């Protein structure tokens, strides 16, 4: 989704054009979910051998961005003139449920739960070994550039 919807975006988490970023890649699943896999780097250590909470929040936010952008595309709500994306994060409420391994590939899922042209809400989470590790509710508002 990132390569299709915002290939020039330099976002640290999901921007395809940021060579030093996480370069998250999200895909539409058959069941309406948006899914991704992410393998942490050793530099993402929280100091205790697990994935850092800031990296978790970044990955959740950026994966939610893919779900929102995909939903906007499906509904015919493209970015407004001057905006690189149709929506921008307005809030992210992250819950850390269990430690997330640093040395394993983790699975991400996202589902748009509310969608209107002015704003969207997304549930997004991280799973590993059959257990949810983190979950967030992300709120997005229509990006309306100002002169």
């Amino acid at each position: 989704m990132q390569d299709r919807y915002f290939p020039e975006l330099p976002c640290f988490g999901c921007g395809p054009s940021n060579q030093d970023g996480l370069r998250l890649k999200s895909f539409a699943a058959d069941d309406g979910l948006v899914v991704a896999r992410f393998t942490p780097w050793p530099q993402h250590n929280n100091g205790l051998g697990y994935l850092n909470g800031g990296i978790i929040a970044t990955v959740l936010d950026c994966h939610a961005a893919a779900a929102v952008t995909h939903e906007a595309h499906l509904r015919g709500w493209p970015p407004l003139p001057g905006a690189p994306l149709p929506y921008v994060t307005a809030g992210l409420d992250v819950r850390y449920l269990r430690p997330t391994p640093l040395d394993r590939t983790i699975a991400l899922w996202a589902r748009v739960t509310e969608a209107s042209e002015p704003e969207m809400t997304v549930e997004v989470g991280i799973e590993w070994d059959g257990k949810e590790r983190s979950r967030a509710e992300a709120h997005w508002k229509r990006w309306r550039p100002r002169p």
Side-chain angles (χ1 to χ4, degrees), residues 49-112:
Y50 295 98
L51 184 57
N52 174 278
I55 296 295
I56 289 171
T58 298
V59 170
L60 290 170
D61 183 37
C62 286
H63 188 56
V68 164
T69 302
H70 183 61
E71 186 73 20
H73 174 77
L74 293 175
R75 292 175 180 256
W77 300 332
L80 297 174
L85 297 170
Y87 292 80
V88 65
T89 309
L92 184 69
D93 182 16
V94 179
R95 298 290 183 240
Y96 301 97
L97 307 173
R98 297 179 170 83
T100 302
L102 183 64
D103 60 348
R104 301 281 189 267
T105 298
I106 56 176
L108 290 101
W109 59 269
R111 181 184 314 276
V112 174

Side-chain angles (χ1 to χ4, degrees), residues 57 71 86 116 125 142:
E71 186 73 20
S116 67
R142 192 74 156 127

Side-chain angles (χ1 to χ4, degrees), residues 3 7 9-12 14-23 25 41:
D3 293 332
L9 191 72
C11 175
F12 173 73
C14 59
S17 70
N18 187 337
Q19 296 300 315
D20 297 323
L22 302 178
R23 305 183 87 196
K25 303 290 184 198
W41 308 343

